Amino acid sequence: MKKIINKKPWKYLILLLGLFLSSAGISLGIVSGIWGGTTAATLIPGLILIIGWLIWQAATNQWWQKRSTQTGTNAILATIAVIAILGLINFLGTRYTWRVDTTENKLFTLAPQTVELLRSLQTPVKVSVFSGNQNPIDRNLLENYRRQSPKFQFEYIDPLLRPQLAQEYNVSREGGDVFIEAKNNRKLVQTLTPEENISEVLLTNRLQQVISTSNPKVYFLQGHGEYTLENSSASFSTAVSVLKDRNFSAAPLNLTQSPNIPEDANVIVIAGAKRGLLPQEVQAIQTFLNQGGNLMVLLDVEGDPKLDPIFQQWGVTIDSRIAIDTVGSQFYGPAVTFINEYGEHPITKSFQNNISFYRLARPIDTTPVDGVTATPILTTKPYPQSWAESDTTSEKLEFNEGKDRKGPFHIGVALVKQIKDNKSTPTPTPESTATPTPEEKTPSKEARMVIIGDADFASNGLFEQQINGDVFLNSVSWLSQQEQPILSIRPREAKNRRLNLSAFQSLLLRLSALFILPLIGFITGALLWWQRR
């Protein structure tokens, strides 16, 4: 080889020049990120020189026919193929991510509500975390958010290194504050502590708030023994507080003082009325519904709200019997109904097998009515696990044929009624007597209603139990008829799988790992060796 190079060194200089130009062109394109004319002017001549040199060598020295050349070429092609495959896998891995969450409670998987909201983002959103330490769990959560939408970005800011920005956000020197902002709307998500991580529930709700342009108003009817809004054991103050945290406004409503429903009302809630409404109040609510309003009725076993005129128009009948659940009797008594199967409805579609429970719930029946669509959202188990009891005074509750009602039956129903907007209907004229086209037909809107056969499931003390609060919040959110309703998200918590071992058990475990298991392996190997010998 040395003799050949000494005799004709110029032909190898052609190969070296080709390799140099090709390497320079590739490096220039990778570093600059621009594969333009300059890169092509360097890369293409280099490739031409290399290819020309290979063809020339094959023609003069019969290089391709040598066994060593064929073996080397196969090795080079195999190496190039492996590199290309690895590069393609790396490219696809960065462009299309696929992750598997193997935790029992899906701790590292975003809730469907969060994913849906992120994918519908129309405006850029930024999260600012004022902390000098980047918690891996928090960063993983924020990365999960960013994977769903390129419009979601986040930044960690050390308040000690950027004091002016920290002062602008009114952040202390210790930091820990998490802010989210979109356009000119900025909100504090939470203040982190060493023991607390960023909450998906709070972050998603604040995200909805900063991008939302609406502030739905919910009125709670008062004056008939309903649950109050003040902070007490028998009130809805917790529910009201959570509603306000989700960008709703809540206020009491007394129709005896003001006979008309306020114009800014999106939802009216009648929570556990023990006395009947006056006919004028029923008429006001009926007018509100006929104009496209929304109503939630939570029944109380001790009272009758006297809403039959409204229920009849919507095809609803309330059963006077009480739901009995043999599973509930093991925990809170037979009059507590446990629900873990839900209807395919926006209110309950994300609940899966989570549990909610209702005390002294009443069955709700629906009959077909033109223009009204009824969808069950809470359904009891079949008989004999559940039935509707007519005699609640007896100490021994048992099913009586002819008096009681076998399950399953519904204790929660969501209804939609199509309403024509008469105000927008033009006055007919002689020139407009022709049959209207589909585009000219009277526009319509819808009124919504949710009826649940129990009220105290959302009261203080029970609101936080299982997913009781989620049933209430999702119902109000669906009733508000927002384009992007704020649906409740269950917080995910890791289950405690810790084993509490005694001193003897701990010693036995150590001995097993250090001596017993290795000894078993040694004995097994020795027996196999002896058998083969």
Side-chain angles (χ1 to χ4, degrees), residues 244-391:
K244 292 180 178 179
D245 190 50
R246 283 159 171 74
N247 214 35
F248 285 87
S249 297
L253 174 65
N254 194 324
L255 291 177
T256 60
Q257 299 176 359
S258 177
N260 298 321
I261 303 293
E263 295 183 358
D264 63 346
N266 295 97
V267 182
I268 301 297
V269 178
I270 304 176
K274 294 179 174 59
R275 297 182 296 275
L277 277 66
L278 299 175
Q280 298 85 344
E281 295 176 298
V282 176
Q283 181 60 44
I285 295 175
Q286 200 166 29
T287 302
F288 172 69
L289 291 172
N290 292 336
Q291 294 174 351
N294 309 284
L295 176 66
M296 171 183 277
V297 181
L298 307 179
L299 301 172
D300 189 278
V301 68
E302 298 179 0
D304 181 3
K306 303 296 182 183
L307 295 174
D308 293 341
I310 296 177
F311 290 160
Q312 291 174 3
Q313 289 188 358
W314 290 65
V316 175
T317 304
I318 308 300
D319 197 321
S320 60
R321 288 169 286 198
I322 303 301
I324 300 299
D325 189 344
T326 56
V327 175
S329 62
Q330 303 175 18
F331 300 93
Y332 297 103
V336 178
T337 301
F338 278 73
I339 303 293
N340 64 353
E341 295 181 4
Y342 303 89
E344 291 295 326
H345 190 274
I347 295 175
T348 56
K349 66 179 181 180
S350 62
F351 289 166
Q352 300 176 357
N353 292 324
N354 289 284
I355 296 174
S356 59
F357 58 90
Y358 309 84
R359 299 190 298 187
L360 302 173
R362 300 169 65 180
I364 303 168
D365 300 315
T366 58
T367 55
V369 173
D370 187 28
V372 176
T373 302
T375 305
I377 58 175
L378 303 173
T379 304
T380 66
K381 297 291 185 181
Y383 177 82
Q385 186 170 330
S386 73
W387 73 87
E389 177 65 43
S390 58
D391 183 12

Side-chain angles (χ1 to χ4, degrees), residues 16-30:
L16 294 175
L17 179 61
L19 293 173
F20 171 76
L21 292 175
S22 300
S23 302
I26 295 174
S27 301
L28 181 62
I30 293 175

Side-chain angles (χ1 to χ4, degrees), residues 29-333:
I30 293 175
V31 173
S32 64
I34 302 175
W35 298 85
T38 305
T39 304
T42 308
L43 178 61
I44 293 175
L47 294 176
I48 293 175
L49 290 175
I50 294 174
I51 295 173
W53 184 86
L54 292 174
I55 295 174
W56 179 44
Q57 289 296 311
T60 57
N61 300 329
Q62 297 182 347
W63 188 48
W64 291 106
Q65 298 179 4
K66 296 180 179 180
R67 181 180 297 274
S68 60
T69 303
Q70 295 176 358
T71 303
T73 302
N74 291 335
I76 292 173
L77 292 177
T79 303
I80 294 174
V82 170
I83 294 174
I85 293 172
L86 292 176
L88 180 61
I89 293 174
N90 185 61
F91 171 78
L92 294 176
T94 56
R95 182 65 60 89
Y96 307 100
T97 58
W98 183 69
R99 305 167 74 244
V100 178
D101 188 353
T102 58
T103 58
E104 180 180 4
N105 291 344
K106 301 300 179 183
L107 296 174
F108 305 105
T109 302
L110 296 179
Q113 299 92 325
T114 301
V115 174
E116 183 179 356
L117 181 61
L118 288 169
R119 292 180 177 176
S120 63
L121 284 180
Q122 300 296 326
T123 181
V125 176
K126 181 181 179 182
V127 171
S128 300
V129 184
F130 285 87
S131 175
N133 300 320
Q134 298 187 19
N135 187 309
I137 297 178
D138 293 341
R139 188 175 183 87
N140 180 71
L141 176 65
L142 295 174
E143 290 285 359
N144 285 345
Y145 272 71
R146 186 163 59 183
R147 290 188 185 97
Q148 302 301 325
S149 174
K151 294 185 179 296
F152 182 93
Q153 299 296 327
F154 68 91
E155 179 185 10
Y156 274 87
I157 302 170
D158 192 336
L160 297 178
L161 299 179
R162 302 176 67 180
Q164 293 183 349
L165 187 60
Q167 185 178 4
E168 178 185 343
Y169 281 76
N170 195 23
V171 177
S172 64
R173 292 178 58 87
E174 293 77 12
D177 291 344
V178 182
F179 290 89
I180 186 169
E181 53 189 316
K183 295 182 179 179
N184 296 325
N185 193 0
R186 179 192 300 165
K187 287 186 178 294
L188 174 66
V189 178
Q190 65 185 115
T191 300
L192 302 178
T193 63
E195 298 80 19
E196 184 180 15
N197 299 113
I198 297 178
S199 167
E200 180 188 350
V201 177
L202 294 177
L203 183 56
T204 297
N205 286 324
R206 292 296 184 271
L207 172 61
Q208 175 69 60
Q209 291 177 17
V210 296
I211 65 174
S212 177
T213 57
S214 61
N215 183 231
K217 191 67 173 287
V218 182
Y219 283 95
F220 289 79
L221 192 64
Q222 301 288 288
H224 316 88
E226 296 93 346
Y227 284 88
T228 64
L229 308 187
E230 289 77 16
N231 188 10
S232 63
S233 58
S235 75
F236 268 38
S237 61
T238 301
V240 169
S241 176
V242 178
L243 280 175
K244 292 180 178 179
D245 190 50
R246 283 159 171 74
N247 214 35
F248 285 87
S249 297
L253 174 65
N254 194 324
L255 291 177
T256 60
Q257 299 176 359
S258 177
N260 298 321
I261 303 293
E263 295 183 358
D264 63 346
N266 295 97
V267 182
I268 301 297
V269 178
I270 304 176
K274 294 179 174 59
R275 297 182 296 275
L277 277 66
L278 299 175
Q280 298 85 344
E281 295 176 298
V282 176
Q283 181 60 44
I285 295 175
Q286 200 166 29
T287 302
F288 172 69
L289 291 172
N290 292 336
Q291 294 174 351
N294 309 284
L295 176 66
M296 171 183 277
V297 181
L298 307 179
L299 301 172
D300 189 278
V301 68
E302 298 179 0
D304 181 3
K306 303 296 182 183
L307 295 174
D308 293 341
I310 296 177
F311 290 160
Q312 291 174 3
Q313 289 188 358
W314 290 65
V316 175
T317 304
I318 308 300
D319 197 321
S320 60
R321 288 169 286 198
I322 303 301
I324 300 299
D325 189 344
T326 56
V327 175
S329 62
Q330 303 175 18
F331 300 93
Y332 297 103

Side-chain angles (χ1 to χ4, degrees), residues 525-533:
L527 291 176
L528 291 174
W529 173 81
W530 181 263
Q531 183 179 5
R532 292 184 178 182
R533 180 176 176 276

